[in-house]
Amino acid sequence: MAKSLADLRPTFVIGAGWHPFQNPSDTHYSVLGLTAIRGALGDAGIPWSEVEQTFVGTALLGMASGRPMLKHLGALGQPVVHIENASASGSAAFHLACAQVAGGLSDVVLVLGVDKRPAGGGAARAPAYQASIADHAIAPVTHFALLADEYLHANGVSPEDVARIAVKNHGNGALNPNAQRQKARSLEEVLNSRFIAGSLTALQCCPVGEGAAAVIVASEDAIRRLGVAGDKPVRIAAGAAASERFDGSDREITTEVIKRALFQSSIEAAQIDIFETHDAFAIEEAFYAEAAGLCPAGHYTKLLQEGAFDIGGKCAVSPSGGLLAMGHPIGPTGVGQIGEITLQLRGQAGPRQHQGAQVGVASMVGLGAVGYAHVLVRP
Amino acid sequence: MDLVVERSNEPPGLTGGICRQCGFVFFPYQSLGCERCGAFGQDLTLRTLAASGRVRSGVIVQMGTAQIDAPYGAIEIELDDGPVVRGLSEGPQIVPIGAAVVGQLDQDSDAEAHLRLWFKRAEAN
């Protein structure tokens, strides 16, 4: 019978680093990536020569982006593999890296998420075999605006209620030096920003950007051998992955992977202290937080208004600023979530610290659709 | 294969399909494989679906795409024949959730002169 991550040998995140997520620029992706990697290695206190394999999560860079960048750390011949899973590219890379270490094939691996938009272009998707009647008119923002309309109607939720999700996340982003958007916003500013589709305004949509995030995944053997400082390791308790079923959606995928990951780790939803998710559009945070079991269906915005999901509330949701404020450069996004949860569980998140955090869940979906969930716990 | 077919005295038809193995009704038609059971080829047969149904959600879109200028109305419809599709609504205007809608065909304004499908409230007919 197949095993889960939780059945295999213990695995830990021992280092995290970023190049800040930023507006599109002339910065070469190698600069983005190397900055994040050196940050993660420095955080872990280990040299590049100890990394046995690298998993690169990237959706936009094109073929063979990894080695031309990694060689500048020292071209030592370690294997490198690139993973593309749309928005979940970084999460997929992390998932596979965990399996690599937990399964005993490596003791120390690097997970890097790095992306920037190609010159003059956007994110290209593989062409559909058969288009439908309005594909040309349904951009992702319109897709989620339609879902938001259905949710608002079904649950008696107002557009202002959803906009408060963006207010919270912009406020968290203002505390995060790695965030693309570091400006707190009032409810009026969010509501009065440019309308995009339905009730979704520009400040309720993630920005287009670039950046990098890196984490080091290691075994207990490696932690002992390398003398990693005691305050660094955060345990990867569980991981789960899925793709969309014929009658499902992003919400069903999220429900499934989080349920499986919590079951693997013997943790209840009520124990989650930190939740990072795919809030590319503000309404999504409500969808996935409810799918995670943080509150009953339809209740997210009501509890949000009571402060339940603030830093310092019952469960800090998107303490990094989420995709809305931290940004969504695509490849780095899921890796950045792991890095944020690592800082939180170590007690090293500075002004964003959610006191006493013991359990963090990183939830991600990607076009396809695919979904991932990882549970991290304070050792 | 055209996604939309004109029919006299009826709403336009949508070129969908049905799986002979499991009965799954889908749109648009394809023979690559059934999303429910994987049957393919001759197990997937054409079925013309009526371009009519009930609105599940609807929004006005303020930011156009490369192929369409804003503003326009986008709606999600559960077709009377089963599948859920997204389409353009008459307008742009909001069509209430739960409203019955029916497809209309226009000659598109572009040089290729193909038929454009959009949905209007059935009560307006």
Side-chain angles (χ1 to χ4, degrees):
Chain A
M1 187 170 152
K3 292 183 165 52
S4 73
L5 202 60
D7 297 323
L8 303 175
R9 67 175 185 167
T11 316
F12 299 82
V13 176
I14 62 169
W18 287 261
H19 183 292
F21 296 0
Q22 62 187 22
N23 293 337
S25 76
D26 292 331
T27 308
H28 194 270
Y29 78 84
S30 291
V31 174
L32 305 174
L34 289 170
T35 303
I37 295 168
R38 288 179 171 131
L41 292 171
D43 182 42
I46 66 169
W48 166 242
S49 57
E50 291 294 340
V51 171
E52 294 162 291
Q53 178 151 351
T54 298
F55 293 78
V56 181
T58 176
L60 306 176
L61 290 179
M63 286 197 296
S65 58
R67 197 203 159 261
M69 164 181 55
L70 297 170
K71 69 182 183 183
H72 296 292
L73 296 164
L76 306 179
Q78 305 102 317
V80 56
V81 63
H82 306 83
I83 292 104
E84 183 275 310
N85 230 344
S87 292
S89 297
S91 307
F94 180 72
H95 193 69
L96 294 172
C98 292
Q100 179 84 4
V101 174
L105 298 177
S106 297
D107 277 316
V108 182
V109 303
L110 164 69
V111 184
L112 171 69
V114 58
D115 255 323
K116 65 181 287 128
R117 298 270 158 157
R125 186 172 182 180
Y129 176 74
Q130 175 66 62
S132 192
I133 47 175
D135 285 355
H136 65 291
I138 311 291
V141 63
T142 302
H143 166 76
F144 283 105
L146 285 165
L147 295 178
D149 184 60
E150 190 177 4
Y151 179 91
L152 267 57
H153 182 83
N155 296 293
V157 170
S158 71
E160 290 76 17
D161 294 334
V162 176
R164 287 193 178 88
I165 295 172
V167 173
K168 170 178 70 68
N169 292 359
H170 284 284
N172 293 345
L175 303 173
N176 190 343
N178 292 315
Q180 184 170 345
R181 287 168 159 167
Q182 296 182 29
K183 186 174 178 186
R185 299 288 188 172
S186 67
L187 181 61
E188 290 66 37
E189 282 178 294
V190 171
L191 289 169
N192 292 332
S193 60
R194 185 167 59 102
F195 272 99
I196 306 294
S199 57
L200 294 179
T201 59
L203 288 176
Q204 297 180 65
C205 305
C206 65
V208 169
E210 62 187 33
V215 296
I216 311 288
V217 177
S219 65
E220 278 182 314
D221 288 345
I223 289 169
R224 267 194 299 273
R225 176 171 59 81
L226 296 170
V228 175
D231 65 334
K232 299 294 183 179
V234 166
R235 173 98 197 272
I236 303 158
S243 67
E244 186 178 355
R245 297 177 190 268
F246 80 94
D247 57 354
S249 72
D250 291 343
R251 274 178 278 189
E252 281 78 21
I253 301 173
T254 301
T255 302
E256 178 184 339
V257 293
I258 292 181
K259 191 174 169 184
R260 280 167 40 205
L262 292 179
F263 176 77
Q264 284 176 34
S265 51
S266 301
I267 287 171
E268 304 282 335
Q271 294 174 263
I272 300 172
D273 299 306
I274 306 289
F275 186 64
E276 288 273 326
T277 190
H278 183 277
D279 61 319
F281 304 99
I283 187 65
E284 290 187 83
E285 185 171 292
F287 291 161
Y288 306 137
E290 290 173 5
L294 297 187
C295 65
H299 286 241
Y300 185 75
T301 55
K302 175 175 170 299
L303 291 167
L304 174 83
Q305 253 192 288
E306 295 169 8
F309 304 118
D310 291 346
I311 294 169
K314 179 168 158 289
C315 169
V317 178
S318 306
S320 64
L323 277 61
L324 289 175
M326 177 71 192
H328 185 26
I330 306 189
T333 308
V335 183
Q337 290 182 335
I338 301 298
E340 173 71 16
I341 293 174
T342 297
L343 294 181
Q344 291 281 350
L345 297 182
R346 287 178 183 170
Q348 294 174 354
R352 299 190 313 286
Q353 184 63 50
H354 183 69
Q355 295 300 329
Q358 304 276 338
V359 177
V361 172
S363 147
M364 182 57 71
V365 291
L367 281 177
V370 295
Y372 289 84
H374 294 96
V375 179
L376 281 71
V377 299
R378 192 170 169 161
Chain B
M1 180 176 296
D2 290 329
L3 291 176
V4 182
V5 292
E6 276 187 286
R7 302 189 297 182
S8 33
N9 303 319
E10 284 183 277
L14 298 174
T15 307
I18 184 166
C19 175
R20 288 202 244 214
Q21 289 299 319
C22 72
F24 184 53
V25 177
F26 54 92
F27 175 80
Y29 175 76
Q30 47 82 19
S31 59
L32 281 186
C34 173
E35 287 188 47
R36 183 194 276 171
C37 75
F40 65 100
Q42 292 183 338
D43 278 333
L44 302 181
T45 58
L46 284 162
R47 172 168 282 195
T48 301
L49 312 176
S52 60
R54 294 232 168 240
V55 173
R56 293 192 359 167
S57 58
V59 297
I60 304 298
V61 183
Q62 303 289 353
M63 188 176 79
T65 69
Q67 290 84 26
I68 183 170
D69 293 329
Y72 58 91
I75 54 175
E76 183 171 278
I77 307 146
E78 183 165 350
L79 296 175
D80 295 327
D81 289 320
V84 174
V85 302
R86 266 91 181 266
L88 300 175
S89 63
E90 179 185 28
Q93 59 178 291
I94 302 268
V95 185
I97 289 176
V101 290
V102 64
Q104 293 279 127
L105 284 173
D106 281 342
Q107 201 72 23
D108 206 331
S109 57
D110 73 18
E112 291 188 19
H114 60 265
L115 294 173
R116 183 182 74 115
L117 175 71
W118 52 274
F119 289 87
K120 63 191 290 185
R121 292 189 74 162
E123 292 84 353
N125 281 338

